[in-house]
Amino acid sequence: MAFATAFLLGVSSAGIAASDPNLVIVDQPGCVYCERWDAEIAPAYPKTAEGQYAPLIRADLREGPPDGITYARRVVFTPTFILVEDGQELARLEGYPGEDFFWPLLTKLLSDHTDYTADTGAETVQN
C-alpha cells in the first residue's frame, strides 16, 4: 500500500524516507473529518508553501506507518497529521479543526519543529 500511495502522490517509494520533511495524513474509510479535509484542504495543499515544504503522504490507520516511517506512538484518531523527517515523527496534529484553524496550526507545527518560516505576506514598514 505504501508504494501505491506514494505512486499516486508522485513520490517514489525511495522518496518516502527522504531526509526532507513530509506530512503524513493518517485516515480511514468512513472518517467524516477526513472527507472534510479532503474536500476543503487537499486540492490546495500541494500548491501552498507548506505543501511544497512538507509534501503529503497518505497512510491508512489499519495499515500502520508507510515503509521507512516510524511513529512516536500509536495513532488513535483520524485524521492525524504527522510531521516526519528522516523517517521519524517530529510532531503531530490530531483531528481536523476545520479550514480556518488548520492552516495556522500547520504553520505553527512546521515552524516549531523544522526550519520552515512562514511568509506572512505582510510588508515591513520602514521609516
Side-chain angles (χ1 to χ4, degrees):
M1 173 64 179
F3 177 76
T5 302
F7 180 76
L8 291 173
L9 292 171
V11 178
S12 72
S13 60
I16 288 178
S19 62
D20 294 335
N22 286 97
L23 185 68
V24 177
I25 178 175
V26 182
D27 59 10
Q28 65 180 326
C31 169
V32 174
Y33 290 100
C34 301
E35 292 170 5
R36 280 190 53 209
W37 188 89
D38 281 341
E40 296 171 359
I41 304 294
Y45 185 81
K47 301 172 190 170
T48 65
E50 294 86 352
Q52 302 231 343
Y53 183 82
L56 187 70
I57 297 172
R58 289 190 171 268
D60 186 283
L61 176 69
R62 293 176 184 94
E63 294 183 16
D67 292 339
I69 293 178
T70 302
Y71 300 152
R73 65 185 192 277
R74 186 173 155 245
V75 176
V76 178
F77 304 102
T78 59
T80 293
F81 303 90
I82 301 177
L83 179 62
V84 297
E85 190 168 21
D86 294 324
Q88 300 297 312
E89 177 176 338
L90 299 176
R92 69 173 60 189
L93 172 61
E94 295 178 319
Y96 174 58
E99 186 174 10
D100 292 337
F101 295 101
F102 177 78
W103 293 112
L105 289 170
L106 176 61
T107 299
K108 181 162 178 38
L109 190 80
L110 292 172
S111 298
D112 287 354
H113 299 281
T114 69
D115 61 0
Y116 178 81
T117 53
D119 177 17
T120 60
E123 294 182 24
T124 303
V125 178
Q126 297 181 5
N127 293 328

